Amino acid sequence: MSSGKYRKEHDCLNCGAHVEKHYCSQCGQPNLELKESFWGFISHSIAHYFHFDNKFFQTLSPLLTKPGQVTLDYLAGKRARYINPVSMYIFVSIVYFLVVYSPKHGEKDTDNVHVNIEKKKNQNVTDSVNKALKLTGIPKKIANKATKSIDEAIKKEEFIALGFADQEKELNRLKAENTRLKSDSIANRIEDFNEIHIERNDSTYAAYLLRQKKMSLAEQDSWYEKLIKKRAITIGEKSEVIQETLEHNRPKQYFLLMPLLAGFIMLNFRKNHIYYLDHLIFTIHGMMVYFIVSIITKPIMIQVFGEDSFLTKIMEIGVTIYLFWYMFKALTVFYQRKTWSTVFKIFWILILYAVAFKLSEMAMINLIYYVAT
């Protein structure tokens, strides 16, 4: 581990304790000379790096292939070969959230490209229909009217497919165009599009209230329903910001839920009569496995195969099966319970964790909403 010349003096430079041989028995610092050559410094640093690297892989291999064994070894005192659970968890979780939850800045542009491609395809369809009708001998006026109806239906479908903000942009564009051209067809399209926009999204709270005023008192929403609607509209308007902030705070959510997950495991295996800390270490090791598997598989599924490909679906099924097998095996090895008893407890642990995850997510969304507004 250490590289350099050992001091002849027997006082520790770090804590001042007496040093018998090469290492201080109080703080563990090697009793090396302060002055070292450049190459000595480099070799010393590399030795430390590869020592960490070696311990990392010594921990990683059994962690992935021998469920529950690393926790048993660690609690039995066999700790020199393994990295500290919390240190490794922090390292792995940082890598996980860099790889899996990296921001996707290019999504909007990609969506716009897809919309433009669809528009070009639809335009080609309209042109083809127009030509086909004319070739059959149908009068030009009737052919144009039929083509116009198809074109309007296609434009309506395109508008429905647009996102909230893009719908509003399209409406503003049409209104500006209508102000300039004073076209009845554009005015009719604005009216149709506006109904779709209002009914689906209630674009603003003011628009929602205006629509409410047009109704009779019996048809209008109550004050409580209006309050809920206001919140829903605001969340809809800020959905991208809220979702982005939510994903940014996922590490905190996982970290805060981990002690709770350990509590759920302790509750289900309370007859084992072991300390909470032991359950927590077991949970930390389990979460690390989930992170490591995701670090390996997610980039392959997204970057190599594509998110919606058949091979990605197969990989997702394989990862799910492995994680369920790992959880079952780890609980069986660590808690020494029978098969059906373990399966039953896994079911309840997952139910409790899913509820806690959803409740914490709702709390985070509400917190983000109130901060954002």
Side-chain angles (χ1 to χ4, degrees):
M1 248 300 281
S2 298
S3 175
K5 187 178 179 182
Y6 287 104
R7 297 172 64 239
K8 293 179 181 178
E9 294 81 3
H10 293 281
D11 60 311
C12 177
L13 294 174
N14 183 54
C15 67
H18 180 74
V19 181
E20 289 293 337
K21 292 187 178 180
H22 300 316
Y23 293 90
C24 176
S25 60
Q26 297 296 318
C27 67
Q29 178 171 289
N31 192 29
L32 295 170
E33 292 282 358
L34 291 177
K35 293 180 181 180
E36 56 182 336
S37 65
F38 172 77
W39 291 111
F41 171 75
I42 295 297
S43 62
H44 186 64
S45 301
I46 291 172
H48 271 287
Y49 171 79
F50 280 107
H51 176 71
F52 172 82
D53 187 68
N54 187 44
K55 286 189 77 172
F56 179 81
F57 285 105
Q58 279 185 343
T59 308
L60 184 65
S61 180
L63 189 65
L64 292 173
T65 58
K66 299 177 180 178
Q69 193 58 50
V70 173
T71 311
L72 286 173
D73 288 346
Y74 186 86
L75 295 176
K78 300 174 183 177
R79 301 180 180 184
R81 71 186 79 169
Y82 301 127
I83 297 177
N84 178 275
V86 176
S87 300
M88 188 170 178
Y89 174 83
I90 292 169
F91 172 74
V92 170
S93 63
I94 289 170
V95 176
Y96 170 76
F97 287 104
L98 285 173
V99 172
V100 177
Y101 281 109
S102 56
K104 302 173 183 178
H105 299 294
E107 279 188 355
K108 285 186 180 179
D109 294 333
T110 306
D111 290 341
N112 289 333
V113 169
H114 286 311
V115 169
N116 290 332
I117 289 169
E118 286 302 317
K119 283 183 178 179
K120 286 178 182 177
K121 285 181 180 177
N122 291 333
Q123 186 61 49
N124 291 336
V125 169
T126 307
D127 293 341
S128 299
V129 169
N130 196 300
K131 288 175 184 177
L133 289 172
K134 287 176 181 177
L135 285 171
T136 57
I138 293 173
K140 186 178 178 181
K141 190 176 180 180
I142 297 173
N144 287 341
K145 192 174 181 180
T147 305
K148 188 178 178 182
S149 298
I150 293 169
D151 188 51
E152 288 296 326
I154 287 171
K155 280 185 167 60
K156 191 177 284 189
E157 288 299 320
E158 287 174 354
F159 184 78
I160 291 168
L162 290 174
F164 180 86
D166 290 329
Q167 281 188 353
E168 198 161 12
K169 286 178 185 176
E170 180 63 13
L171 276 170
N172 291 335
R173 186 190 69 77
L174 287 171
K175 286 173 184 176
E177 189 177 341
N178 191 44
T179 303
R180 191 174 69 255
L181 301 175
K182 301 293 182 183
S183 168
D184 289 337
S185 63
I186 294 174
N188 290 333
R189 191 184 301 170
I190 289 169
E191 190 177 346
D192 290 341
F193 285 7
N194 199 53
E195 283 181 10
I196 293 166
H197 189 59
I198 295 293
E199 289 298 326
R200 181 183 170 191
N201 300 303
D202 275 325
S203 58
T204 62
Y205 187 58
Y208 164 73
L209 290 177
L210 187 63
R211 189 161 61 85
Q212 286 286 304
K213 284 179 181 178
K214 293 177 183 178
M215 300 176 182
S216 65
L217 288 172
E219 292 175 325
Q220 287 183 22
D221 293 340
S222 66
W223 68 269
Y224 178 73
E225 288 171 327
K226 286 177 180 176
L227 186 68
I228 297 296
K229 191 68 177 179
K230 182 181 179 181
R231 181 179 176 278
I233 290 169
T234 309
I235 288 177
E237 289 175 337
K238 299 179 182 293
S239 60
E240 291 183 8
V241 175
I242 290 171
Q243 189 61 36
E244 188 178 334
T245 309
L246 181 65
E247 295 303 332
H248 180 73
N249 286 283
R250 287 291 186 199
K252 296 173 186 175
Q253 185 185 14
Y254 279 115
F255 187 77
L256 291 172
L257 284 177
M258 191 163 54
L260 195 59
L261 178 57
F264 295 151
I265 294 172
M266 182 179 180
L267 180 67
N268 279 275
F269 291 95
R270 57 190 177 277
K271 290 183 180 178
N272 284 67
H273 302 294
I274 60 177
Y275 292 111
Y276 171 77
L277 183 60
D278 297 349
H279 296 287
L280 183 59
I281 292 169
F282 173 82
T283 306
I284 290 171
H285 282 142
M287 286 297 294
M288 279 195 288
V289 170
Y290 170 72
F291 288 159
I292 292 164
V293 170
S294 297
I295 289 166
I296 296 167
T297 58
K298 284 286 183 182
I300 297 171
M301 288 190 282
I302 296 169
Q303 304 298 332
V304 179
F305 298 144
E307 289 186 78
D308 300 318
S309 69
F310 176 72
L311 289 173
T312 294
K313 300 298 180 188
I314 295 296
M315 278 194 73
E316 285 175 349
I317 292 168
V319 168
T320 304
I321 291 170
Y322 169 78
L323 291 173
F324 271 106
W325 168 82
Y326 187 94
M327 188 177 184
F328 167 75
K329 197 72 178 174
L331 289 169
T332 304
V333 169
F334 189 73
Y335 293 102
Q336 297 294 310
R337 293 295 186 89
K338 293 179 180 179
T339 301
W340 288 111
S341 173
T342 304
V343 170
F344 180 75
K345 292 178 187 304
I346 287 173
F347 173 78
W348 279 110
I349 290 166
L350 292 176
I351 290 292
L352 290 168
Y353 186 74
V355 171
F357 188 89
K358 195 64 182 176
L359 289 174
S360 63
E361 187 173 78
M362 288 169 63
M364 287 170 68
I365 289 171
N366 279 285
L367 184 62
I368 296 164
Y369 163 73
Y370 286 116
V371 170
T373 55

